[in-house]
Amino acid sequence: MIGSKTGKKFDRELSLDTVKRTAEFVVDYAKQHGQRAVFSFFGGEPMMAWSLMKEMVLHAEHAARAAGVTALFRMNTNGMLIKEEHLAFFEEHELIFILSIDGNKEMHDAERRTEGGAGSFDVLAKKLPRFLEHNPGLMASVVITPTNVKHAAEGIAFLFDQGFRYQIIKPDVTQAWSRDDIAELERQYERVAEDYLARTRRGDELYLNLLDDKWMNHAKGAEGLSIRCDVGSSQISRSSSSSTR
């Protein structure tokens, strides 16, 4: 992972030498274990360290070709800094990104604000058509909090209407949820489920982790219960970014 040097938590940035050696290490590990070399960029906001991320992609591709390994690149981003030149690079090097967007304007702006305190939705909304043209299968990552929970059902429906066929919904468990907040979350989930079923019945092909993952794990039975996070067994992480969303 590569992040920015700004922020309250960290005030440092990976050196170019560290970036290259990390890329080589991942490729070498992948070669030894017969795996693909998968590079994930997250943060903070990884696009704040665009020059370093670009160098890692280029160096990793070179190392992977030499080692006979497939290198894959993915990123979690809020999309605010992505320009046309970046999309062209992503296409050339097959870098796939997941967009952090919390539904519609009311839901998104309740939490995701600029440094000056303004909501960030209007800036991001202008980019959505091009993002979806770039990748029709673009996945949206939605965070639900006690502040924006009352907008959750409308926000998730908005993203489906915009063309986001795949959504990952994540309640922010680090915040303090009151009993009323949890009751509201349950009401919103019921509305989300009703809308999802209506869309599915009319033939829309959708993915919503709240429902699809539960069904898949139920179908797998004991095997589904055994699935665990692979960090520590097949993933490594190197962080230097701020902790801000």
Side-chain angles (χ1 to χ4, degrees):
M1 168 259 174
I2 295 176
S4 71
K5 66 180 179 181
T6 60
K8 296 180 180 180
K9 189 173 182 180
F10 298 106
D11 188 20
R12 64 181 184 272
E13 186 172 271
L14 295 179
S15 68
L16 180 58
D17 178 65
T18 299
V19 165
K20 291 182 176 181
R21 287 191 290 111
T22 300
E24 293 166 2
F25 175 85
V26 173
V27 168
D28 183 62
Y29 182 93
K31 181 179 180 179
Q32 292 182 37
H33 294 82
Q35 300 176 356
R36 299 174 299 178
V38 181
F39 295 83
S40 298
F41 304 100
F42 56 95
E45 174 49 48
M47 288 299 297
M48 293 179 70
W50 164 244
S51 61
L52 282 175
M53 187 170 69
K54 181 178 179 180
E55 287 295 332
M56 174 170 272
V57 170
L58 295 174
H59 193 74
E61 283 184 333
H62 176 76
R65 283 194 297 269
V69 170
T70 299
L72 302 176
F73 307 97
R74 59 195 184 194
M75 172 176 64
N76 288 70
T77 176
N78 61 28
M80 295 289 285
L81 298 178
I82 294 179
K83 300 178 181 178
E84 193 63 38
E85 64 191 74
H86 302 128
L87 293 177
F89 182 88
F90 299 163
E91 290 176 359
E92 181 180 357
H93 300 277
E94 299 185 4
L95 189 155
I96 298 173
F97 66 87
I98 296 174
L99 184 66
S100 295
I101 177 172
D102 293 343
N104 59 5
K105 180 177 176 64
E106 290 76 18
M107 185 180 181
H108 185 90
D109 283 351
E111 289 284 2
R112 297 186 185 270
R113 297 184 173 274
T114 65
E115 188 175 358
S120 60
F121 179 82
D122 289 341
V123 174
L124 183 58
K126 295 177 181 178
K127 299 173 180 277
L128 296 185
R130 181 65 184 100
F131 287 173
L132 287 164
E133 179 186 9
H134 163 75
N135 178 12
L138 179 62
M139 183 172 287
S141 176
V142 181
V143 179
I144 301 179
T145 72
T147 302
N148 69 21
V149 64
K150 63 183 179 181
H151 303 295
E154 292 181 357
I156 293 169
F158 167 84
L159 292 177
F160 279 139
D161 290 340
Q162 293 300 302
F164 287 91
R165 295 182 292 125
Y166 308 99
Q167 296 189 48
I168 300 175
I169 314 301
K170 300 172 290 186
D172 186 350
V173 297
T174 66
Q175 296 198 30
W177 289 75
S178 68
R179 290 183 180 274
D180 288 342
D181 294 331
I182 294 174
E184 181 62 32
L185 179 64
E186 183 176 359
R187 286 191 291 270
Q188 294 293 320
Y189 275 4
E190 289 176 353
R191 292 177 58 191
V192 169
E194 291 172 358
D195 180 65
Y196 174 88
L197 288 174
R199 293 173 187 271
T200 301
R201 285 168 177 160
R202 75 185 186 207
D204 294 352
E205 295 185 3
L206 308 172
Y207 167 79
L208 188 67
N209 69 314
L210 293 176
L211 300 177
D212 290 273
D213 286 1
K214 299 297 183 183
W215 291 332
M216 286 188 288
N217 286 339
H218 178 74
K220 291 178 180 179
E223 179 187 350
L225 295 176
S226 68
I227 296 174
R228 296 292 183 269
C229 178
D230 53 4
V231 173
S233 61
S234 63
Q235 291 188 9
I236 61 171
S237 178
R238 178 64 169 88
S239 172
S240 68
S241 78
S242 70
S243 59
T244 58
R245 294 172 59 219

